[in-house]
C-alpha cells in the first residue's frame, strides 16, 4: 500500500478536568444526535462497502494509523464510487483518550465549527486532494443527494467546507429555510465566509467571538432570529460579490 499522509487531524476532545460534567437536557441530546447524522451516497455503495470491509488497518505510532484502499483498488473506482468511499470512510485514524462532556443547550446554539464528521478519523491527503480536484462534481453530487433527502449530512457539510464550495450558498440557504432546524448549515455559511476572508464578517463581533484569540472549538453564538438573518444576509452578500 502506498503511504499517504494526513493533513487533517481530528480535533482533540476536551478532558474531563477542563469542563464540569453535567447531563444535557433531552432536547439538547436529541439535537446532538441530529447533528451527527451523515448521508450515505448510493453510487456503487455495495461494492465500496465490500472493499472497505477488506481494508487492513496499519498502525503508525500507536494512537494513529491508516486504513485505506491500496492505490490499485482506489484508482479502479469511478469518480462516483470514489465519492461514496470518501463520504463513508476516512482513511486516517486518531485515537482520543478523553471523553468529552455533554454540550449543554446544544439546540440553542450556532457553533463556529462543525463536529467531527468521522469521530476518531479524518480524510487523508489523497482524499482531500480528490475532493478539491473534483470540486464541481463533488458539489453536484451533494446537491443532487440533498435535493432528494432534504438533509445535508455532516459528511457533506465537511466536504463543502473542504472544497470551499461557496457556489452552494444559495442552495444551502434554501435548504435551511425549509425547516430552520439544522443550525450547522449556518455554521457552514460562516466557515465559507471565513475561508473567503469576507471582510464584513471578519470584522464583525460574531467573528471575534467564534474565531478570535479567546475562542475555542466549541465557541458559539445564540440561535435567535436576529443572528440567523444576519448570517444569511452576510452569506448572500458574500456570494453575490464572488459570482
Amino acid at each position: 500500500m502506498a503511504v499517504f499522509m494526513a493533513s487533517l487531524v481530528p480535533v482533540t476532545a476536551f478532558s474531563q478536568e477542563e469542563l464540569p460534567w453535567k447531563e444535557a437536557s433531552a432536547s439538547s441530546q436529541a439535537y446532538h444526535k441530529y447533528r451527527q447524522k451523515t448521508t450515505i451516497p448510493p453510487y456503487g455503495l455495495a461494492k465500496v462497502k465490500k472493499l472497505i470491509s477488506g481494508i487492513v488497518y496499519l498502525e503508525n505510532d500507536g494512537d494513529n494509523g491508516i486504513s485505506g484502499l491500496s492505490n490499485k483498488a482506489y484508482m479502479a473506482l469511478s469518480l462516483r464510487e470514489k465519492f461514496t468511499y470518501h463520504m463513508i470512510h476516512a482513511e486516517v485514524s486518531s485515537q482520543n483518550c478523553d471523553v468529552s462532556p455533554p454540550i449543554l443547550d446544544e439546540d440553542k446554539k450556532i457553533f463556529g465549527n462543525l463536529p467531527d464528521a468521522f469521530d476518531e478519523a479524518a480524510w487523508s491527503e489523497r482524499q482531500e486532494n480528490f475532493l478539491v480536484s473534483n470540486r464541481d462534481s463533488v458539489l453536484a453530487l451533494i446537491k443532487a443527494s440533498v435535493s432528494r433527502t432534504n438533509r445535508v449530512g455532516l459528511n457533506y457539510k465537511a466536504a463543502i467546507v473542504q472544497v470551499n464550495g461557496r457556489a452552494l450558498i444559495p442552495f444551502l440557504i434554501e435548504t435551511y429555510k425549509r425547516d430552520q432546524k439544522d443550525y450547522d448549515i449556518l455554521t457552514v455559511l460562516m466557515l465559507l465566509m471565513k475561508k473567503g476572508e469576507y471582510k464584513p464578517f471578519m470584522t464583525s463581533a460574531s467573528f471575534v467571538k467564534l474565531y478570535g484569540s479567546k475562542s475555542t472549538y466549541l465557541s458559539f453564538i445564540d440561535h435567535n432570529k436576529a443572528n440567523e438573518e444576519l448570517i444569511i444576509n452576510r452569506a448572500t452578500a458574500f456570494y453575490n460579490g464572488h459570482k
Side-chain angles (χ1 to χ4, degrees), residues 16-159:
Q16 296 182 52
E17 288 72 25
E18 291 173 316
L19 293 172
W21 189 284
K22 184 179 178 182
E23 287 299 327
S25 66
S27 60
S28 182
Q29 291 183 44
Y31 185 63
H32 178 81
K33 186 176 180 181
Y34 178 86
R35 295 180 74 206
Q36 309 304 313
K37 182 175 176 57
T38 58
T39 305
I40 310 299
Y43 315 113
L45 182 59
K47 174 183 174 181
V48 171
K49 280 186 171 180
K50 184 176 181 180
L51 288 170
I52 291 172
S53 68
I55 290 175
V56 177
Y57 175 76
L58 299 178
E59 187 173 300
N60 187 6
D61 61 6
D63 293 328
N64 300 285
I66 57 174
S67 59
L69 293 174
S70 68
N71 275 337
K72 182 179 179 180
Y74 178 77
M75 295 307 295
L77 296 175
S78 68
L79 185 147
R80 290 187 172 207
E81 289 168 344
K82 286 191 180 81
F83 174 74
T84 296
Y85 173 65
H86 300 324
M87 290 304 107
I88 66 174
H89 181 76
E91 294 181 328
V92 179
S93 298
S94 179
Q95 185 176 2
N96 291 325
C97 297
D98 296 324
V99 177
S100 300
I103 301 173
L104 305 182
D105 295 328
E106 193 166 350
D107 54 326
K108 300 174 183 176
K109 298 174 178 177
I110 305 171
F111 293 91
N113 295 285
L114 297 170
D116 288 332
F118 299 101
D119 197 10
E120 295 184 342
W123 285 315
S124 67
E125 185 175 2
R126 77 172 177 183
Q127 291 183 298
E128 291 181 341
N129 288 341
F130 168 86
L131 295 172
V132 173
S133 299
N134 297 279
R135 175 189 289 108
D136 291 347
S137 296
V138 167
L139 294 180
L141 290 170
I142 289 174
K143 188 174 181 179
S145 177
V146 173
S147 296
R148 290 192 298 270
T149 63
N150 291 327
R151 280 296 306 270
V152 188
L154 179 54
N155 48 350
Y156 283 4
K157 294 187 185 89

Side-chain angles (χ1 to χ4, degrees), residues 172-180 232:
L172 290 170
I173 293 173
E174 177 187 335
T175 303
Y176 174 76
K177 286 184 174 179
R178 286 194 184 118
D179 55 22
Q180 300 177 317
I232 290 174

